[in-house]
Amino acid sequence: MSCCTRDSCHTFPLLFSVITSFILSQNADWYQSSDIVVQAGPAYITHLVDRGLRNSGMLNASHVLVTFERGDRMIITGDDQIAFGFSGHFTIVVQPLIASCGLKIHVLQANLAGIPVTGFVATFEDQVNQQLQSKPTTLPSGFVYCETSVRTDPQGLYLTISAKPV
């Protein structure tokens, strides 16, 4: 007993071949590139952000959580001590971006207990961007590496790095 109808066993492979050839011809660089795609999950990014918050003056930040939206948005939430033992909820909306072959962040919005926090934004951006500047030394030599794109989805942040032989 066959799983195919009379013509489907021959039609599907042909159709798959035609579609694949079309996709590859439209995206020739895609399958010939020497790109590296790195995924950083929420736990790693949360640790990085938590360190950036503390280095930026939010020493009592707690319950820090980073979530990702599809596209290019990270939402950072948590609690911070406002004064005299009172805590307030904070939200920071961040956009990851590429500048000069490097990953950076840009804070789109930040508030503590519903009040916009502007003085903190530049310090936080600088702290996180300094951490992001450190390049891994475990990549093989003989290539020039350049971070070329970044995107987010609920599973994390995806960074594409081009590797061009020297």
Side-chain angles (χ1 to χ4, degrees):
M1 184 167 179
S2 173
C3 65
C4 301
T5 61
R6 194 172 106 202
D7 294 321
S8 67
C9 286
H10 302 290
T11 305
F12 179 75
L14 177 62
L15 182 60
F16 181 77
S17 176
V18 169
I19 291 172
T20 304
S21 295
F22 174 76
I23 290 171
L24 293 178
S25 70
Q26 299 300 307
N27 300 296
D29 292 339
W30 172 77
Y31 69 93
Q32 293 177 351
S33 71
S34 54
D35 289 347
I36 302 163
V37 178
V38 178
Q39 177 188 5
Y44 176 77
I45 298 294
T46 296
H47 178 72
L48 182 69
V49 166
D50 189 48
R51 189 171 18 176
L53 289 170
R54 293 179 192 291
N55 291 338
S56 301
M58 290 182 79
L59 302 176
N60 297 312
S62 61
H63 307 107
V64 176
L65 178 65
V66 177
T67 56
F68 300 92
E69 292 181 351
R70 191 167 305 284
D72 64 352
R73 295 276 191 300
M74 297 171 24
I75 313 296
I76 304 163
T77 58
D79 297 310
D80 191 33
Q81 186 174 1
I82 298 173
F84 309 111
F86 292 103
S87 292
H89 188 73
F90 67 83
T91 302
I92 305 169
V93 180
V94 175
Q95 178 183 31
L97 53 97
I98 301 296
S100 302
C101 283
L103 176 63
K104 300 198 179 313
I105 64 149
H106 175 65
V107 176
L108 300 173
Q109 175 185 346
N111 67 63
L112 175 60
I115 301 167
V117 184
T118 55
F120 157 82
V121 169
T123 305
F124 176 68
E125 271 187 17
D126 287 344
Q127 288 294 323
V128 173
N129 286 335
Q130 284 177 11
Q131 290 180 40
L132 293 173
Q133 283 181 349
S134 62
K135 301 293 181 195
T137 56
T138 56
L139 292 172
S141 60
F143 294 87
V144 174
Y145 297 99
C146 179
E147 295 166 358
T148 58
S149 69
V150 62
R151 67 178 175 84
T152 59
D153 72 19
Q155 286 73 43
L157 180 139
Y158 299 84
L159 178 64
T160 303
I161 305 167
S162 71
K164 298 195 190 259
V166 265

